[in-house]
Amino acid sequence: MKVLVVGGGGREHALVWKIAQSPRVSRIYCAPGNAGISQLAECVNIKANDISSLKKFALEERIDLTVVGPEAPLIEGIVDEFSQAGLRVFGPNRNAAQLEGSKALAKHFMAKYNIPTASYAAFSNEKEAMDYVREKGGPLVVKASGLAAGKGVIVCQHTADALDAVRRVIVDKEFGEAGSQVVIEEYLEGEEVSILAFTDGKTIVPMIPAQDHKRVFDNDKGPNTGGMGAYAPAPLYTPELHQVVVKEILEPTVKGMTEMGWPFKGVLYAGLMVTKDGPRVLEYNVRFGDPEAQPLLSLLDTDLVDIMEAVIDERLDQLDVKWKDGASVCVIMSAPGYPGNYPKGDVITGLDKVPEDITVFHAGTALENGNFVTNGGRVLGVTAVAADIPGAIDRAYQGVKKINFNGAHYRSDIGQKALKDR
Ligand code: AMP
Ligand code: GLY
C-alpha cells in the first residue's frame, strides 16, 4: 500500500512512524513533512491546505490511503474532494469537521443534544455581546468562534477583562474572520483531560485518556500554546468517569452528528474539563491532538492502517483495538519566544546521543547542510514509554537532556499532575 500523510508537525511524524510499522505499507509520502519525517517517508513539497495539488498528487501516485493530520484541510473539505475523486481518505468530511471549525455551531449542537458543556451565548453584534457580559459578570471565557490556531480563547477573571476580550475579538478582529462571531462561556473549574476516539459514525472506540499541557511555563503559567507536552494514560480518568463520558458525551455526539446529517468518521477528540459536577466538553477537535498523538500512538498496539481502513469501510465493530501496557510521556522542546516570535535555523545537536528506546518526533525542523536546524515554534517532542508514568517522565527527560539548540525551552513538569492524581 502507498500512504500519504498530510501535515508536517509532531503529530504527523508520529502518524508516519506508526504507519511505517504496518506490514501492509510499502511506501509513505508526507506533504509537506519535516526533516524528521523525511527519514521515514518521502516528503512532498505541497502545503497541507493546498487540496487541489494534494489531490492531483494522490491521483498521479495512485495513493491507496490518505491520512489527514491537521484540522484546516478537513474543515475546507479535503475528504469530500478526495472521496469524489475515488481516493480513500481518513478523516471527517467538511460538514462533520465544522464541529471544530465553528465553536458557535459546536455549542448549538451540544445544547440540542444535551451534551454537558459550559453555558454560553454566541453573538455577532458587539453591543449584544457586551450586554451579555455585563449581565453575567466575570469570570467568563471569551472565544473567537472560528479557527484561530489554538489562540482565540481568552479566559477572563473579571467583567472588565471580558469586555476588553469581546472588543479584541469582534471589533479589533485580532483573530481575523474567526472573530466575526464571539462565543461567551461560563468559566469552568477543574482538571482537563483529552478523550480521543476512533469512530466510523456507528461504532465508537475510545483511546486511552491523555493530558496536554497548554501553557508555556511550569505550573501552568504563561500564555497558551499548541501544547508543551502530553502523557497517557491519565489516571484522573477513572472507569466511573469513563462510563459517564461514553454515555453522556461520546455516544450522543456521534448519534447526534448522524441525526443532523453529518455522520462523523475519523478521530473525534473531546477536550473535557472534569468539574466537581462531572465532565464538561470544552471543545471538540476532529483529528488527533498534537502533542497527544505522540504518547497515544506510542502506546497503540493495533495496526493503525487496519483501524483507519475499518473506519472508512464502517466496520470498526469488527476490530479489536489494543493498547500496550505502561505509560508514555512526550516533552516538547520549543524555540525561545514561542508562542510569540521565535528564531529559526539554529543547529540542533545531540540527537544522535538520545538512547534508542526514546523516540524524538520532529515538529518544526529542517535539514541545512546536513544538520538538523530549528524551523518552527515547537521543535521536537521527546517521547518515552515505560512501565508507569514516573518511569516514562524520567526516561523522556533523559532524552531531553541530550539535545540542545540555542535558547531551547521545555517545561520541567510534564506528567506531574498524573502523580498527584494517582
Ligand atoms: P479551547 O481551545 O476551547 O479548548 O480552549 C483553550 C483552553 O482554554 C482550554 O484548554 C482551557 O484551559 C481554557 N478554557 C476553554 N473554555 C473554558 C471554560 N469554559 N472554562 C475554563 N477554561 C476554559
Ligand atoms: N493539543 C491540543 C490540540 O491538538 O488541539
Side-chain angles (χ1 to χ4, degrees):
M1 265 180 93
K2 285 175 155 186
V3 178
L4 167 65
V5 174
V6 175
R11 164 183 50 211
E12 287 75 25
H13 193 180
L15 285 166
V16 165
W17 172 86
K18 182 65 187 168
I19 290 166
Q21 293 165 25
S22 171
R24 300 175 54 203
V25 172
S26 52
R27 195 141 188 202
I28 310 177
Y29 299 91
C30 189
N34 63 39
I37 292 172
S38 72
Q39 306 199 304
L40 294 172
E42 188 175 320
C43 292
V44 189
N45 191 13
I46 305 174
K47 292 211 170 72
N49 53 6
D50 183 356
I51 296 175
S52 63
S53 301
L54 289 169
K55 183 170 84 178
K56 185 160 168 279
F57 175 82
L59 286 170
E60 277 170 12
E61 292 297 326
R62 298 174 184 278
I63 299 294
D64 298 294
L65 171 66
T66 298
V67 177
V68 186
E71 60 277 13
L74 293 167
I75 292 164
E76 282 165 36
I78 189 171
V79 169
D80 311 61
E81 289 268 335
F82 271 52
S83 304
Q84 277 157 24
L87 292 162
R88 282 164 72 75
V89 52
F90 178 83
N93 65 16
R94 182 195 278 116
N95 283 337
Q98 300 315 313
L99 212 47
E100 177 166 1
S102 165
K103 288 187 192 289
L105 179 138
K107 295 297 284 190
H108 298 326
F109 171 81
M110 286 187 268
K112 181 169 161 84
Y113 289 98
N114 271 320
I115 295 164
T117 186
S119 65
Y120 79 105
F123 303 95
S124 32
N125 175 289
E126 176 198 351
K127 180 170 180 309
E128 287 169 20
M130 300 273 191
D131 286 347
Y132 182 82
V133 167
R134 283 192 198 94
E135 179 200 323
K136 292 285 166 185
L140 287 167
V141 181
V142 175
K143 303 182 176 184
S145 175
L147 264 201
K151 298 172 185 141
V153 173
I154 310 166
V155 177
C156 308
Q157 289 310 324
H158 305 287
T159 311
D161 309 331
L163 290 171
D164 186 54
V166 166
R167 200 168 300 120
R168 284 168 61 191
V169 171
I170 215 166
V171 183
D172 303 344
K173 286 266 156 66
E174 201 173 299
F175 311 100
E177 275 316 298
S180 54
Q181 243 191 329
V182 64
V183 173
I184 302 169
E185 281 187 13
E186 161 198 14
Y187 172 78
L188 296 173
E189 242 169 306
E191 195 173 330
E192 287 178 54
V193 63
S194 306
I195 301 303
L196 288 78
F198 295 106
T199 178
D200 59 5
K202 297 183 279 204
T203 304
I204 302 168
V205 176
M207 302 186 206
I208 54 175
Q211 194 172 52
D212 190 5
H213 299 65
K214 291 214 158 98
R215 306 292 201 94
V216 71
F217 299 126
D218 282 11
N219 302 313
D220 295 334
K221 296 278 190 311
N224 267 332
T225 68
M228 292 301 294
Y231 68 89
L236 108 124
Y237 192 75
T238 59
E240 297 74 44
L241 180 56
H242 179 65
Q243 299 288 327
V244 176
V245 169
V246 169
K247 275 258 142 337
E248 294 185 6
I249 294 171
L250 296 178
E251 287 180 357
T253 300
V254 169
K255 237 176 120 201
M257 291 297 282
T258 301
E259 256 180 59
M260 295 295 292
W262 309 322
F264 192 101
K265 290 167 76 166
V267 169
L268 176 67
Y269 167 143
L272 306 180
M273 184 73 89
V274 180
T275 74
K276 62 177 186 357
D277 303 319
R280 303 281 182 268
V281 177
L282 290 178
E283 62 162 350
Y284 289 112
N285 295 320
V286 298
R287 33 100 194 147
F288 271 104
D290 189 345
E292 288 95 326
Q294 290 84 318
L296 287 173
L297 294 172
S298 295
L299 291 172
L300 178 63
D301 203 26
T302 306
D303 188 326
L304 182 60
V305 174
D306 287 347
I307 301 175
M308 291 180 159
E309 292 219 300
V311 167
I312 293 171
D313 298 330
E314 298 177 23
R315 50 177 173 74
L316 195 52
D317 58 331
Q318 291 163 30
L319 206 71
D320 190 14
V321 175
K322 291 210 166 67
W323 297 88
K324 293 175 187 151
D325 291 334
S328 179
V329 170
C330 169
V331 179
I332 299 291
M333 299 183 75
S334 66
Y338 174 76
N341 295 332
Y342 50 81
K344 286 185 181 178
D346 284 309
V347 173
I348 304 167
T349 58
L351 287 167
D352 52 341
K353 305 276 186 317
V354 176
E356 271 193 8
D357 64 295
I358 301 169
T359 312
V360 182
F361 293 116
H362 290 223
T365 65
L367 273 168
E368 245 172 46
N369 310 319
N371 290 319
F372 288 106
V373 299
T374 63
N375 192 39
R378 291 189 290 179
V379 177
L380 301 166
V382 183
T383 310
V385 172
D388 54 17
I389 298 268
I393 294 175
D394 232 47
R395 200 71 191 134
Y397 281 104
Q398 281 171 33
V400 168
K401 299 237 152 69
K402 302 279 185 211
I403 303 171
N404 206 1
F405 53 87
N406 253 342
H409 166 71
Y410 57 87
R411 277 180 62 158
S412 65
D413 64 348
I414 302 300
Q416 290 301 322
K417 277 193 194 137
L419 309 186
K420 167 183 84 46
D421 289 333
R422 283 190 316 160

